[in-house]
Amino acid sequence: MSRLSSLDQAKQTFPDWVAGKQQRIEDLLDLCLPNANIAPTRLHSAMRYSALDGGKRVRALLCYAAAELCACEPKIADAAACAVELIHANSLVHDDMPCMDDDDLRRGKASCHKQYDDATALLVGDALQSLAFEVISQAQIYADSQLNASQQMSLVYLLASAAGSTGMAGGQGIDLASAGKSLSQTELETMHQMKTGALIQASILLGAISAPKSDLATIKQFAIIIGLAFQVVDDILDVEADSLTLGKTAGKDADNNKPTYVTILGLDAAKQHARALYEQAINALAPLGEQAQRLRELAGYITQRSF
Ligand code: GRG
């Protein structure tokens, strides 16, 4: 695993930085996830199937970029980056199940419940969630992350509250209940801030665990905006991109009769909204200066992505 200093990281081109961090998180997840030969082998195999070798790793990238903002070396953020990707994988596995969004395709392959079975998928989500908190609480063992106990407790709190009933799980509850209903833009925004935004915000705040208190409000403001921008673009891509490019079933929101930014604003206005959120995100970072460069680049990556 590469151990570049924060100075070396800052000199990398953005694509090289992204590729390096994607490889780093892949290696870390590989180390943290139980070996598929260890019993219960079917569950461990399904956990690895669902968490490894897939996804853009946006949440981990945000976590590393936030650590870089605080001039921290990546190893400080390793446990947190791993944990947010594990919770994310947990949410994708459960989201795809027949009792939720019922999708057969994820990250370009059969979703977990299709490849294995519903009961296994349920357990995979549960076990990935537990592993996320194990990794944070044993950060030194799993990821060589040099965090003190108080920082570890803060990470646990931030991640647990982002994933729970006032965050991701709650947002999913509202989302499921909103099928076939019309929501106002404010209601849609609240739902997405919980369902998608909360974990994205947490990814940034976990990475910024060493930030001075005086920077926290600025970082949080950026995190809120970029979390929302992520979902607006997700809604646009669901309409405009194909399943092969997305690695998941395109047009799913319409199939499930879900209110989205596209159904509420229209496609052009949704794109305009994404551009406006990008500008807001960049403006929010202004007080943080050059150290926020990776977060700026990630804001561009998130809002201009094609999958
Ligand atoms: C995990 C506590 C917990 C609860 C789960 C099922 C559920 C409750 C929530 C669903 C949350 C969800 C799937 C939100 C959608 C977020 C989203 C846009 C996912 C796609 O993220 P990408 O594009 O995916 O970053 P990759 O595959 O690139 O990682």
Side-chain angles (χ1 to χ4, degrees), residues 55-56 59 88 90-91 95 107 129 163 172 196 230 234:
K56 299 175 287 295
R59 292 150 193 83
H88 175 53
N90 163 191
S91 77
D95 190 51
R107 293 176 165 174
Q129 181 172 155
Q172 178 77 344
T196 306
F230 186 93
D234 195 75

Side-chain angles (χ1 to χ4, degrees), residues 232-243:
V232 176
V233 174
D234 195 75
D235 286 358
I236 294 168
L237 290 174
D238 187 64
V239 173
E240 287 210 310
D242 55 72
S243 302

Side-chain angles (χ1 to χ4, degrees), residues 1 45 66 69 82 98 100 103 107 142 164 184-185 223 254 270 274 285 288 296:
M1 201 176 300
S45 157
L69 170 73
C82 226
M100 300 243 179
D103 207 326
R107 293 176 165 174
Y142 278 105
S184 68
Q185 189 176 339
L285 290 176
L288 300 174
R296 274 186 204 95

